């Protein structure tokens, strides 16, 4: 049986579907995710990926979708596609009501979202309320981005009278490995399979 030749058109079409699917999933996850300060502090994850990881996935697959879309146009035949667009544009201009309606609708969505008016503000507010629901007062970081502070900085800001060396010793007694006094809580947590929040609590 003769093997079918590699089809670039099929490859690009499947790639577009895969990229769209990933954009759809990552978009929903990012919409439902907690604020960055909470996600970083608690080491929030879904399917083994942090919020930052999901943001990276969304960015890369957005780029892949754009590139594959351009390749898709060329695989169809650019001249034929452009002729089709011109023909349909002329047809659209021949229907001023429909053409004006879609332009006004696009402006409504863009301006309405920017000004946060209903019903767009409801979607935005709902997402923000979902994000805020992840944050509990008991688990808040002492200051924003505490996970980026080193043991030296923790010693100066939050544990008066306790030296960085003593903080390191306290962690090591609880089986938390520390490579350096200039290592951040985030880095220490990553190397010890713990969240920055859990590492910080061991210092209290």
């Amino acid at each position: 049986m003769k093997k079918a030749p590699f089809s670039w058109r099929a490859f690009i079409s499947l790639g577009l579907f895969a990229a769209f699917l990933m954009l759809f999933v990552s978009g929903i996850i990012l919409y439902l995710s907690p604020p960055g300060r909470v996600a970083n502090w608690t080491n929030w994850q879904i399917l083994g990926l942090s919020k930052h990881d999901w943001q990276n996935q969304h960015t890369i697959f957005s780029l892949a979708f754009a590139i594959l879309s351009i390749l898709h146009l060329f695989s169809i035949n650019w001249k034929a596609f452009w002729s089709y667009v011109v023909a349909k544009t002329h047809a659209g201009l021949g229907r001023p009501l429909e053409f004006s309606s879609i332009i006004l609708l696009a402006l409504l969505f863009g301006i309405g979202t920017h000004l946060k008016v209903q019903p767009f503000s409801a979607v935005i507010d709902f997402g923000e309320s979902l994000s805020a629901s992840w944050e509990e007062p008991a688990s808040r970081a002492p200051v924003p981005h505490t996970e980026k502070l080193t043991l030296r900085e923790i010693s100066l800001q939050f544990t008066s009278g306790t030296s960085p060396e003593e903080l390191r010793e306290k962690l090591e007694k609880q089986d938390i490995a520390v490579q350096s006094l200039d290592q951040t809580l985030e880095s220490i947590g990553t190397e010890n399979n713990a969240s920055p929040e859990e590492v910080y609590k061991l210092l209290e």
Side-chain angles (χ1 to χ4, degrees):
M1 182 177 178
K2 186 177 180 181
K3 188 176 180 180
F6 187 85
S7 172
W8 282 104
R9 180 171 293 189
F11 172 80
I12 293 170
S13 297
L14 291 171
L16 281 170
F17 174 75
F20 169 79
L21 185 62
M22 189 61 180
L23 287 175
F24 179 75
V25 172
S26 61
I28 291 176
I29 289 175
L30 290 173
Y31 180 72
L32 300 175
S33 67
R37 64 182 183 277
V38 177
N40 295 335
W41 183 240
T42 61
N43 197 28
W44 178 89
Q45 294 184 354
I46 283 187
L47 300 178
L49 298 179
S50 67
K51 181 173 183 175
H52 184 67
D53 293 332
W54 280 109
Q55 289 170 333
N56 289 340
Q57 293 289 335
H58 195 78
T59 298
I60 294 301
F61 276 92
S62 294
L63 179 61
F65 188 84
I67 293 173
L68 287 169
S69 296
I70 294 171
L71 292 176
H72 182 62
L73 296 181
F74 282 104
S75 72
I76 291 174
N77 184 316
W78 177 255
K79 290 183 179 180
F81 173 77
W82 186 247
S83 297
Y84 176 82
V85 170
V86 171
K88 288 299 180 181
T89 300
H90 283 303
L93 293 174
R95 303 186 68 88
L97 181 61
E98 291 83 352
F99 181 77
S100 300
S101 296
I102 196 64
I103 294 297
L104 289 174
L105 192 61
L107 289 172
L108 175 65
F109 271 65
I111 296 173
T113 301
H114 176 68
L115 297 178
K116 293 186 177 180
V117 297
Q118 291 291 356
F120 311 104
S121 62
V123 178
I124 297 170
D125 292 342
F126 180 66
E128 290 178 348
S129 66
L130 285 174
S131 293
S133 68
W134 291 93
E135 189 169 15
E136 298 177 4
S139 63
R140 287 178 183 167
V143 296
H145 301 298
T146 303
E147 72 278 359
K148 300 297 183 183
L149 299 180
T150 66
L151 288 183
R152 293 186 193 277
E153 293 167 331
I154 294 290
S155 173
L156 291 173
Q157 294 190 42
F158 305 113
T159 56
S160 56
T162 305
S163 68
E165 290 78 12
E166 290 174 317
L167 293 179
R168 179 177 185 170
E169 184 179 353
K170 183 181 288 189
L171 290 177
E172 290 178 338
K173 284 182 178 178
Q174 298 175 85
D175 297 323
I176 300 295
V178 180
Q179 303 299 325
S180 165
L181 297 178
D182 295 311
Q183 195 173 6
T184 65
L185 293 182
E186 184 176 42
S187 174
I188 294 172
T190 299
E191 293 184 1
N192 291 275
N193 296 316
S195 69
E197 178 188 17
E198 292 170 331
V199 175
Y200 182 78
K201 285 182 176 179
L202 295 177
L203 297 173
E204 296 178 339

